[in-house]
Amino acid sequence: MTKIPNNDMGLILIGHGSKLPHNRENLEKIANMLRNRGKFKIVEIAFMVRDTPTVNEAVDIVTEKGISKIVLIPAFLAPGIHTTEDIPSLIGMKEKEPNLKAKGIELVYGEPIGSDERIAEILEEKALKALGQEVKKDVEVMDAYSVSAAGKIVDQSMMLIRQAIGDDLAKLSKDKISIVERVVHTTADPEFAKLLVISDDAVKAGVEAIKAGAKVVTDVKMVKAGINEARLKKFGSQIYTYMNDERTIILAKEEGLTRSASAMRLAIKDNLDGAIVLVGNAPTAVFELTNQINAGKVKPALIVAVPVGFVGATESKEAVEKLPIPYVITRGRRGGSTIAVSIFNALLTLAEGKLYG
């Protein structure tokens, strides 16, 4: 049997350390973004001087978390005495590495940040802001309303939508209205105002998760393609789909799962705690997720489950409705990838502090 690799790597970000709190606060924010991205089982921070944990203490902390590899990255812009001599000396690489290796743990020391196009973009942005100039990026066109002519069409569409589903909207709390309007606008089908079910805490949970830089996982590439990643990355978040992952194919064959269920199981192995899960196509992905939640193996921040079809779609969404997790679903057989995308984009717009239409 081919073994599916687990996420058992630890990451330590090493800062210089300061008596002022800002150094620690910024490094902790970056660490939290990396935690939400889910590539490492544990992410810790450490400092050379004037703060704790020390580098050695951080290594000890991570060692106790059941990992097989520790990567240490100096959060410095360029190589220098600190990164080439001081930090390796503080770690005690020559002494510590053999001891960890005997426990089956590999210690890896990486490079500092270095010159990078992404750093240049940040510095350019800071300079333009200092000059009072507005920074605009073509890839970050926010929504249809960002363009004047399109915005007028959206406004007119919303007026017609509100006339058509006004009675349904009157029954909803204010935070849910944006979600329903967005889905009806996307589908041009007022019936979805009756089919959408939004748990009381779903909108708040989704917006807070986005703002915190939570990982977003989709069941299929079509859902992923409908989300503007440039907007999402501003919150430190990334979006993933596991359908084409080689491990998904292996797991599906070995366990007799559908590919969608296999992809969801793999996503859970890579850590979905605190994540937003979007399912627009596959009921089997929803069933796998609900089973794992009921088994206490995962706790996402929000589930958007709107699979479409005649087999399993209705039942899978009913299973989500019974979970102690915030959710958005559609009742019955109807749904689809475009619905999942429109729900998430409505949440993303709210996280940005904007309204749609």
Side-chain angles (χ1 to χ4, degrees):
M1 180 181 287
T2 306
K3 187 177 179 181
I4 306 300
N6 290 315
N7 179 5
D8 58 354
M9 296 183 295
L11 172 63
I12 299 175
L13 301 180
I14 304 171
H16 184 274
S18 171
K19 293 180 180 179
L20 299 174
H22 314 298
N23 181 274
R24 182 186 190 88
E25 289 170 1
N26 282 324
L27 196 60
E28 184 58 46
K29 285 179 181 178
I30 294 170
N32 197 43
M33 292 174 190
L34 288 164
R35 291 176 190 125
N36 287 320
R37 290 163 78 99
K39 292 290 182 71
F40 297 90
K41 184 175 182 179
I42 182 171
V43 180
E44 290 290 341
I45 60 174
F47 300 94
M48 292 180 59
V49 294
R50 301 191 187 94
D51 212 335
T52 57
T54 65
V55 180
N56 255 322
E57 288 170 345
V59 171
D60 291 339
I61 290 168
V62 176
T63 300
E64 298 299 319
K65 301 294 183 178
I67 50 82
S68 64
K69 184 178 290 188
I70 303 174
V71 186
L72 301 106
I73 298 296
F76 291 77
L77 189 59
I81 296 296
H82 283 330
T83 61
T84 59
E85 296 181 18
D86 294 343
I87 293 175
S89 176
L90 287 169
I91 301 168
M93 288 288 286
K94 291 181 180 179
E95 299 80 13
K96 201 151 198 127
E97 199 168 7
N99 293 333
L100 290 173
K101 193 172 183 180
K103 298 178 183 179
I105 301 173
E106 182 183 357
L107 194 64
V108 179
Y109 182 54
E111 299 177 347
I113 297 166
S115 56
D116 190 295
E117 186 71 29
R118 290 165 294 182
I119 300 297
E121 288 177 6
I122 293 170
L123 293 173
E124 179 183 62
E125 181 180 327
K126 298 291 185 185
L128 291 174
K129 282 185 177 180
L131 293 169
Q133 297 182 23
E134 186 177 358
V135 180
K136 292 184 179 180
K137 299 178 183 179
D138 293 339
V139 294
E140 292 181 8
V141 173
M142 303 304 288
D143 253 322
Y145 59 63
S146 298
V147 182
S148 177
K152 291 178 182 178
I153 295 172
V154 171
D155 289 343
Q156 186 175 2
S157 296
M158 285 300 167
M159 180 184 70
L160 296 171
I161 287 168
R162 287 160 187 160
Q163 290 173 357
I165 63 171
D167 291 343
D168 296 301
L169 296 179
K171 302 172 186 175
L172 299 174
S173 58
K174 186 177 179 181
D175 61 339
K176 296 179 182 180
I177 289 174
S178 295
I179 311 299
V180 174
E181 288 180 341
R182 185 68 169 255
V183 172
V184 173
H185 185 219
T186 298
T187 59
D189 187 352
E191 186 65 19
F192 275 101
K194 294 180 171 61
L195 298 178
L196 276 166
V197 182
I198 307 169
S199 70
D200 289 339
D201 49 355
V203 177
K204 181 182 178 183
V207 170
E208 287 181 352
I210 291 170
K211 287 182 175 180
K215 177 197 290 188
V216 180
V217 172
T218 72
D219 64 327
V220 291
K221 290 176 73 175
M222 187 179 294
V223 177
K224 183 175 185 288
I227 295 168
N228 188 318
E229 293 190 54
R231 293 169 61 194
L232 197 56
K233 284 180 180 177
K234 290 194 298 181
F235 293 101
S237 182
Q238 276 198 315
I239 185 165
Y240 303 87
T241 183
Y242 288 79
M243 278 295 284
N244 292 330
D245 193 304
E246 185 178 342
R247 298 173 296 167
T248 293
I249 299 168
I250 294 171
L251 185 61
K253 289 179 179 178
E254 290 185 347
E255 302 293 335
L257 301 169
T258 67
R259 195 158 158 185
S260 298
S262 175
M264 185 59 68
R265 186 172 295 184
L266 183 59
I268 292 167
K269 278 180 175 285
D270 280 357
N271 188 13
L272 279 185
D273 288 341
I276 298 175
V277 183
L278 309 176
V279 180
N281 182 266
T284 56
V286 179
F287 282 127
E288 179 65 28
L289 179 62
T290 56
N291 288 340
Q292 298 275 13
I293 290 171
N294 285 326
K297 293 183 178 180
V298 64
K299 189 177 181 181
L302 174 69
I303 302 169
V304 176
V306 289
V308 60
F310 287 90
V311 180
T314 300
E315 294 81 1
S316 68
K317 290 177 277 192
E318 289 173 351
V320 169
E321 207 170 357
K322 297 174 184 176
L323 296 172
I325 303 286
Y327 64 83
V328 183
I329 63 170
T330 49
R331 292 204 186 281
R333 297 169 176 170
R334 298 178 68 181
S337 296
T338 55
I339 310 299
V341 169
S342 63
I343 292 167
F344 182 80
N345 281 338
L347 292 169
L348 181 54
T349 299
L350 290 171
E352 292 168 332
K354 297 185 177 172
L355 296 175
Y356 185 77

